[in-house]
Amino acid sequence: MIIIKPNYILTENELLKNRAIAFDKTIKSIDDFNILHVKYPDAKIVELEKNSLLMPGLINTHVHLEFSANKTSLEYGSFLPWLNSVIKNRDDLISTCNDECMKKAIDMMLHSGTTTFGAISSQGLDLNSAANAKQNVLFFNELIGSQAVMADALYGDFLERVDASKSIQREGFYPAVAIHSPYSVHPILIKRALEIAKNENLPLSAHFMESDAEKQWCENNCGEFATFFKEFLKQDYSVNTPDEFLSLFENSPALMTHVVQATKEQLQKLHDDGHTIIHCPVSNRLLGNGAIDLDVLESADIPWLCATDGLSSNYTLNLFEEMKIALFMHHGQDLLPFAKKLIHSVTCKAADALNLNTGYIKEGKNADMIILNLDEVPNEQLELHLILQQYKIQSVYINGKEAL
Ligand code: BEZ
Ligand code: FE2
């Protein structure tokens, strides 16, 4: 048992002053230090500095570790030129990103307070690094391939990767399934993978309506993707319309990533089927995909979470930086309430969407916590300053163990 004595504890809806927290793997009690000391006389006591703040560890629901070698190789500004540059540089980027490169990406998340991440894995090359990470990991084995002739081979490879991830037996590691997108996965493959996810209760993720090019191709078989598919895959029609894609997910709530270009009707369906939207503002800006309308999501009562995406479409995996960009991108939002929503989106709301026992500083929750030192006594705009100032993360606990 450990008892930590921070000056402040940020919970879901209040800032506690001069309370201590007792925990082992889970949070046992939050109370006056003297009461906890009597209750747990053998606990190790950790005294913290002036203006120290303890808050929930952050949850980054969408990252691509295998592409962590990218700094300046990919072309930003518009979706299709970026995708073509990924295809052109893919082998180089993937072969340069060894375990050390992926560890660096994972450490970047740890040092910026991320205690849980969702790794979208396209080839399983990141399995080792994810298994060895200190964080909780949802390991999303991604299925991709629109050509029917390739379906069996691709599905076999996908199953092998799912099995390999299931063989990782460690606390806080969860095998999961990702479907790449409506334009890139054959419906037969989607059906088969969703059945596995359902039977084995695996978390699900997908990209959906990210770019205008995706919308035009999937809805009307035209636009920039028409040339791409004709040239590379000899296809004249999208393998799924957006509505067909969503119908496949009817009984499979998923993390639907980007969703910048969805129609009102598609958003209604996302709501009705219990999906959660993953919002990656930096990636959306760099790939020329626009800014999602969060007011529309909120009036449709669809939960949304902020995430970084991978280093193939971002310059950092720091969620505080990502929230800062979101704060400036969505300039119509009321500043302080929006800062609070952003912090909830990477803590309690993310845990709710993933059904994980984390994301809250509350008795019974896993002790996934970060500690930072504020420069000054916090005021009523604390959440805003947490995002603006990017205070150094002093320590990190994951499942009660000191991870930093
Ligand atoms: C496909 O396999 O169909 C595909 C893969 C990547 C991008 C687009 C399509
Ligand atoms: Fe992604």
Side-chain angles (χ1 to χ4, degrees):
M1 189 75 65
I2 302 178
I3 301 175
I4 296 190
K5 286 177 72 181
N7 289 162
Y8 303 96
I9 298 177
L10 184 63
T11 73
E12 180 198 359
N13 40 33
E14 61 183 331
L15 182 67
L16 304 174
K17 276 185 210 163
N18 298 324
R19 285 278 178 279
I21 177 162
F23 62 93
D24 45 28
K25 177 185 170 357
T26 58
I27 297 170
K28 294 294 179 227
S29 188
I30 302 162
D31 212 329
D32 189 82
F33 172 73
N34 295 320
I35 293 174
L36 292 184
H37 196 28
V38 170
K39 207 162 162 187
Y40 305 107
D42 300 328
K44 175 184 162 190
I45 294 159
V46 180
E47 301 252 7
L48 297 180
E49 285 171 46
K50 194 167 163 224
N51 295 329
S52 52
L53 173 84
L54 181 147
M55 63 179 282
L58 310 186
I59 303 171
N60 189 1
T61 44
H62 194 100
V63 59
H64 300 262
L65 293 175
E66 290 163 311
F67 290 96
S68 299
N70 176 58
K71 283 228 181 346
T72 59
S73 329
L74 300 178
E75 186 176 337
Y76 290 153
S78 180
F79 192 73
L80 255 296
W82 172 81
L83 182 60
N84 281 314
S85 75
V86 171
I87 291 168
K88 187 170 144 227
N89 290 284
R90 189 186 165 87
D91 291 346
D92 266 1
L93 282 176
I94 284 194
S95 62
T96 355
C97 198
N98 55 16
D99 284 358
E100 192 189 328
C101 162
M102 287 187 262
K103 185 176 185 306
K104 215 168 127 195
I106 289 169
D107 284 347
M108 187 194 292
M109 289 193 274
L110 187 66
H111 286 263
S112 50
T114 293
T115 53
T116 300
F117 62 83
I120 314 294
S121 172
S122 68
Q123 295 189 16
L125 302 173
D126 47 352
L127 181 60
N128 233 352
S129 306
N132 291 325
K134 290 180 177 165
Q135 290 100 325
N136 303 303
V137 178
L138 289 109
F139 194 78
F140 289 100
N141 296 283
E142 187 172 61
L143 183 56
I144 187 165
S146 57
Q147 290 178 297
V149 287
M150 295 292 290
D152 284 336
L154 292 169
Y155 194 66
D157 172 72
F158 165 76
L159 282 186
E160 274 179 31
R161 288 185 282 123
V162 171
D163 281 345
S165 68
K166 286 202 298 202
S167 75
I168 305 297
Q169 300 285 333
R170 71 131 164 113
E171 180 178 61
F173 188 92
Y174 307 94
V177 168
I179 305 296
H180 181 259
S181 76
Y183 58 85
S184 62
V185 195
H186 196 281
I188 298 286
L189 285 180
I190 301 179
K191 274 185 202 145
R192 288 200 209 162
L194 293 188
E195 208 169 294
I196 293 194
K198 202 168 189 56
N199 290 341
E200 305 189 16
N201 204 17
L202 304 178
L204 268 175
S205 180
H207 300 98
F208 183 68
M209 291 297 109
E210 177 175 10
S211 62
D212 183 53
E214 173 179 348
K215 184 186 176 77
Q216 288 192 46
W217 172 244
C218 294
E219 283 181 353
N220 301 312
N221 303 300
C222 65
E224 286 177 279
F225 257 127
T227 327
F228 176 94
F229 273 97
K230 196 149 194 71
E231 213 168 279
F232 286 114
L233 297 154
K234 313 269 174 273
Q235 290 177 31
D236 296 316
Y237 301 97
S238 171
V239 283
N240 301 282
T241 65
D243 293 351
E244 286 164 352
F245 187 77
L246 289 183
S247 297
L248 294 169
F249 278 84
E250 236 153 45
N251 298 306
S252 302
L255 306 181
M256 292 289 182
T257 305
H258 303 311
V259 198
V260 185
Q261 305 291 340
T263 61
K264 272 224 155 74
E265 293 71 28
Q266 288 157 6
L267 290 175
Q268 186 60 46
K269 183 131 186 74
L270 289 169
H271 166 269
D272 295 347
D273 296 338
H275 300 299
T276 299
I277 291 178
I278 307 304
H279 174 39
C280 307
V282 172
S283 171
N284 293 162
R285 176 69 179 108
L286 292 182
L287 308 194
N289 293 327
I292 198 168
D293 188 338
L294 294 174
D295 283 334
V296 171
L297 300 192
E298 285 178 10
S299 37
D301 196 23
I302 308 173
W304 58 268
L305 314 174
C306 184
T308 63
D309 214 337
L311 290 170
S312 35
S313 55
N314 205 330
Y315 51 89
T316 180
L317 301 178
N318 180 337
L319 267 176
F320 281 105
E321 173 74 5
E322 196 74 32
M323 289 191 279
K324 193 198 277 185
I325 297 291
L327 201 69
F328 287 86
M329 179 186 247
H330 301 285
H331 50 80
Q333 297 282 327
D334 282 346
L335 196 61
L336 181 60
F338 186 49
K340 290 183 182 180
K341 279 182 196 171
L342 283 167
I343 289 183
H344 284 169
S345 90
V346 297
T347 55
C348 50
K349 288 269 166 63
D352 294 348
L354 294 166
N355 216 359
L356 292 180
N357 189 40
T358 183
Y360 293 81
I361 302 300
K362 209 185 239 179
E363 282 176 26
K365 295 290 178 185
N366 291 344
D368 294 339
M369 316 181 295
I370 60 176
I371 292 160
L372 35 90
N373 288 340
L374 307 169
D375 298 327
E376 296 162 10
V377 173
N379 57 27
E380 65 287 351
Q381 296 203 318
L382 171 64
E383 288 86 351
L384 176 61
H385 297 305
L386 282 172
I387 293 173
L388 294 178
Q389 299 296 333
Q390 300 197 8
Y391 300 105
K392 183 172 183 285
I393 309 296
Q394 302 286 348
S395 24
V396 175
Y397 289 85
I398 301 175
N399 296 308
K401 292 189 197 85
E402 199 168 3
L404 178 70

